[in-house]
Amino acid sequence: MVDVLISNERLKERIRELGRELTEYYKDKTDTLHAVCVLKGSIHFFSELVQNIDMNVEYSFIQVSSYSGVSSTGRVRVKSWIDEPIEGRHVIVVEDILDTGLTLSYVIDYLKRYRPADLKIVTMLKKLGRTSLITPDFTGFEIEDKFVIGYGLDYNEKYRNLPYVGWVRGELK
Ligand code: IMP
């Protein structure tokens, strides 16, 4: 039984606002933004967000993982990486959820080596009460510290295609 935590309507409304915030923030800084989607969990958030940014947006996709089941393994595995040049570019890294920040701090450290002009972090969800290595620059929603699924987020590759963010009451299968 899955309980809805954030409905599709609320997600879309907040993502529209985030798009406006980003457009406002970047409009005097650059005419092209380079957005990095952290797969797989960010796929829906990324897709909705970039459609709400009113400027040129270039895309890169990277795939990393650190979770197994409901907890972090503490190790980050890189499955694929960007091959577009980002030196001197304004870059936003688009993440699904910030928990310990381990995954993202690893990604950020590496991306900085390409010397972007500026690098900001946008996360759809941030877990409250967790100590994170990373402070996001833009956040969609702050949620309580529990394991959530849907709108890209999975439990062992399941539930990603739910159109809302929810949590499973009872045992996860
Ligand atoms: P961190 O490295 O601890 O910040 O974890 C970030 C990554 O772990 C996210 O990109 C997700 O893939 C996964 N993750 C963390 N919390 C959850 C959750 O509640 N549901 C599903 N995946 C999660």
Side-chain angles (χ1 to χ4, degrees):
M1 170 82 186
V2 180
D3 281 349
V4 178
L5 201 63
I6 311 172
S7 69
N8 186 268
E9 291 71 27
R10 275 184 68 209
L11 283 163
K12 293 222 163 116
E13 193 184 306
R14 178 68 187 124
I15 298 171
R16 257 198 305 278
E17 267 171 33
L18 273 177
R20 280 198 290 270
E21 286 174 35
L22 286 163
T23 306
E24 191 56 33
Y25 179 80
Y26 285 106
K27 73 170 196 260
D28 300 324
K29 297 182 175 67
T30 182
D31 56 9
T32 304
L33 191 57
H34 193 100
V36 178
C37 174
V38 185
L39 292 170
K40 301 173 190 172
S42 303
I43 180 165
H44 302 301
F45 176 51
F46 180 88
S47 162
E48 193 64 29
L49 183 67
V50 291
Q51 292 178 74
N52 283 284
I53 299 175
D54 190 15
M55 65 194 303
N56 256 333
V57 184
E58 296 174 346
Y59 304 170
S60 284
F61 297 90
I62 62 178
Q63 190 176 351
V64 291
S65 69
S66 67
Y67 253 60
S68 173
V70 294
S71 56
S72 175
T73 61
R75 284 188 313 274
V76 179
R77 273 184 58 213
V78 176
K79 296 183 178 167
S80 65
W81 196 247
I82 61 167
D83 54 9
E84 296 80 9
I86 57 164
E87 184 171 344
R89 317 301 291 260
H90 285 74
V91 176
I92 52 165
V93 177
V94 182
E95 175 68 310
D96 51 0
I97 187 164
L98 251 181
D99 183 2
T100 62
L102 178 77
T103 317
L104 213 50
S105 66
Y106 183 90
V107 167
I108 299 297
D109 280 354
Y110 258 85
L111 289 177
K112 279 187 177 157
R113 298 183 190 184
Y114 298 91
R115 297 191 295 168
D118 178 57
L119 202 157
K120 295 274 183 276
I121 297 159
V122 190
T123 187
M124 173 170 77
L125 306 174
K126 182 177 181 324
K127 283 188 185 170
L128 280 168
R130 296 284 280 179
T131 312
S132 175
L133 294 165
I134 293 278
T135 307
D137 301 285
F138 301 89
T139 301
F141 297 87
E142 293 193 320
I143 60 166
E144 58 184 286
D145 181 15
K146 55 185 171 193
F147 192 82
V148 290
I149 48 162
Y151 210 70
L153 292 158
D154 74 311
Y155 170 68
N156 288 344
E157 297 301 326
K158 283 165 71 182
Y159 305 109
R160 285 196 200 279
N161 60 325
L162 294 177
Y164 52 81
V165 171
W167 65 286
V168 174
R169 209 183 315 154
E171 210 177 316
L172 271 160
K173 291 205 188 86

